Amino acid sequence: MDFNVKRFAADAGTFLSRAVQFTEEKLGQAEKTELDAHLEKLLVTAESTKQWTEKIMKQTEVLLQPNPNARLEEFVYEKLEKKAPTRMNNHELLGQSMIESGNECGPGTAYGNALIKCGETEKQIGGAEREFIQCAAINFLTPFRNFLEGDFKTILKERKLLQNKRLDLDAAKTRLKKARVADARAAAEQELRMTQSEFDRQAEITRLLLEGVNSTHAHHLRCLNDFVEAQTTYYAQCYQYMVDLQKQLGSFPSSFSNNNQSSASGGASISVPNVVASASLPSVSAGHSSSTASAGFSELRSSNGSRRARVLYDYDAASSSELSLLADEVISVSSVPGMDSDWLMGERGTQKGKVPITYLELLN
């Protein structure tokens, strides 16, 4: 019991000494030991890393889950260490509505069948989005959160301890200056040596922890690469799903009568454009060169002959009826009756298949 009382009294005395020293420093009545420049720089770097990590985490969470109420619900379940209920995302909800509408309209009709195919694709995109969110949460958000809740909290703890050791050191220096009696000076000098040693040791501990932030940067860089790779995979999947869908829709009748147009106009037509399955789409040229190229392709289709053409961009065939292309190679192209105007038949040796005209430049 007496030991606990003495310990409490000692702790209270230390706290009071630090409070007095801190107050006098703020009032300019006491000197303050400054940390070395290297340690100060490390502290600034650590604080900056913490602030930007929090900002990136917050914006990433908004990207992955734009609904603030859903984010709050996920946060509550996480704190309760319970699994949040699985709900359909927006793409899956849209897909479900399209499929139900298509079935009501009639799967045997062109519109009903198209709705069902669109709904199935939207659900595929929803599944890809779910996989992307899960991958990003595990490989990107979790390491960032671990840094804030683990390493940086340890840094804060040791930095606070360093601040206390610094206050103890400066308080000991002040007592040494005020000591007049030899015995008091001897005791003050011994206290100064002890507080200086403790301060130096704590400064070294803090420095080692702060230098570990560079390793954190390297780890976060790897996490960033994982995040970009997950995004690349997700967007590539979505693009391919939509390309496949447009090709399926291209098999449906492309013109429908519009009752709002006059009979003289013959009705408005809705045509489904062909999308070329390539990671890099060519830019659209304007002016005289575009007109010349268009005229060349029109002439080729009307003549039913063949021409040599230079490939402008790499193209990966999306089906067995198409021909893969390499940029700058020269192939033979010809028109086939009944083929879509955006495509030609290409030949390379014994290989033959459809090729998109936007990837070609006819040679004289």
Side-chain angles (χ1 to χ4, degrees):
M1 187 69 175
D2 292 340
F3 173 78
N4 291 333
V5 172
K6 290 179 180 178
R7 183 174 180 178
F8 175 79
D11 291 343
T14 301
F15 176 80
L16 180 60
S17 174
R18 290 171 181 169
V20 171
Q21 178 65 28
F22 181 80
T23 302
E24 290 180 350
E25 287 177 0
K26 291 297 181 181
L27 297 175
Q29 299 175 354
E31 295 182 3
K32 176 182 177 181
T33 299
E34 298 294 340
L35 302 176
D36 65 79
H38 177 60
L39 188 55
E40 286 283 7
K41 184 178 179 180
L42 291 175
L43 286 168
V44 171
T45 301
E47 183 62 31
S48 177
T49 300
K50 175 249 187 184
Q51 292 176 0
W52 282 107
T53 300
E54 287 178 333
K55 188 172 184 178
I56 292 171
M57 270 192 60
K58 180 180 178 181
Q59 294 305 318
T60 304
E61 289 171 346
V62 171
L63 171 70
L64 299 180
Q65 177 50 268
N67 188 332
N69 292 329
R71 289 202 305 274
L72 178 61
E73 181 185 57
E74 291 173 358
F75 175 79
V76 171
Y77 274 102
E78 182 181 348
K79 291 301 180 183
L80 294 175
E81 297 183 351
K82 293 184 178 180
K83 184 178 180 181
T86 302
R87 292 189 175 89
M88 297 176 72
N89 56 36
N90 291 332
H91 284 290
E92 291 170 330
L93 288 171
L94 174 59
Q96 187 66 31
S97 297
M98 285 182 167
I99 291 172
E100 291 174 356
S101 300
N103 287 325
E104 285 287 333
C105 184
T109 65
Y111 182 48
N113 196 359
L115 277 173
I116 292 173
K117 289 185 180 299
C118 288
E120 291 171 347
T121 300
E122 290 295 337
K123 295 189 80 170
Q124 284 181 307
I125 292 175
E129 180 184 281
R130 194 180 298 279
E131 291 177 4
F132 164 61
I133 291 174
Q134 183 179 12
C135 183
I138 294 173
N139 297 328
F140 189 65
L141 287 179
T142 298
F144 275 46
R145 187 176 292 108
N146 288 342
F147 166 71
L148 294 174
E149 297 179 355
D151 294 349
F152 192 76
K153 281 190 175 181
T154 302
I155 290 174
L156 287 179
K157 178 182 176 182
E158 297 300 331
R159 187 175 68 179
K160 182 178 180 181
L161 190 55
L162 177 64
Q163 171 74 353
N164 290 336
K165 295 299 182 184
R166 201 268 309 160
L167 289 171
D168 292 342
L169 173 62
D170 290 337
K173 290 179 180 179
T174 300
R175 281 191 287 272
L176 178 61
K177 287 181 180 179
K178 294 179 179 179
R180 296 289 181 266
V181 183
D183 290 344
R185 286 190 62 83
E189 288 174 352
Q190 182 179 0
E191 181 187 11
L192 178 60
R193 287 192 295 270
M194 182 182 68
T195 54
Q196 181 70 60
S197 175
E198 291 179 353
F199 171 77
D200 292 341
R201 183 169 62 252
Q202 185 58 37
E204 180 65 15
I205 293 172
T206 306
R207 182 185 65 79
L208 291 174
L209 284 172
L210 291 171
E211 288 177 346
V213 172
N214 289 329
S215 299
T216 298
H217 288 175
H219 183 213
H220 286 182
L221 175 58
R222 292 192 295 271
C223 296
L224 187 60
N225 286 330
D226 291 340
F227 180 63
V228 171
E229 183 179 350
Q231 277 189 307
T232 303
T233 301
Y234 168 59
Y235 291 127
Q237 285 178 320
C238 293
Y239 174 76
Q240 191 58 52
Y241 291 149
M242 297 311 296
V243 167
D244 294 341
L245 175 62
Q246 279 201 310
K247 288 187 176 182
Q248 292 180 60
L249 294 182
S251 64
F252 290 90
S254 59
S255 298
F256 301 93
S257 175
N258 187 343
N259 294 329
N260 293 328
Q261 298 291 334
S262 64
S263 59
S265 67
S269 65
I270 304 173
S271 60
V272 180
N274 289 311
V275 177
V276 182
S278 170
S280 176
L281 293 177
S283 59
V284 179
S285 302
H288 177 70
S289 60
S290 176
S291 300
T292 303
S294 178
F297 285 117
S298 297
E299 182 182 345
L300 176 61
R301 280 191 289 269
S302 62
S303 67
N304 291 327
S306 65
R307 291 274 297 272
R308 294 178 67 77
R310 184 173 69 86
V311 178
L312 300 176
Y313 315 94
D314 289 346
Y315 174 69
D316 293 328
S319 67
S320 59
S321 64
E322 298 177 9
L323 181 66
S324 294
L325 303 174
L326 293 175
D328 294 326
E329 72 170 325
V330 176
I331 64 172
S332 295
V333 292
S334 59
S335 178
V336 175
M339 182 176 289
D340 191 288
S341 61
D342 290 332
W343 297 79
L344 290 172
M345 183 60 65
E347 293 186 51
R348 184 203 302 113
T350 59
Q351 296 179 320
K352 191 174 182 180
K354 293 194 306 180
V355 293
I357 64 173
T358 51
Y359 282 66
L360 303 174
E361 177 185 32
L362 292 178
L363 300 177
N364 294 327

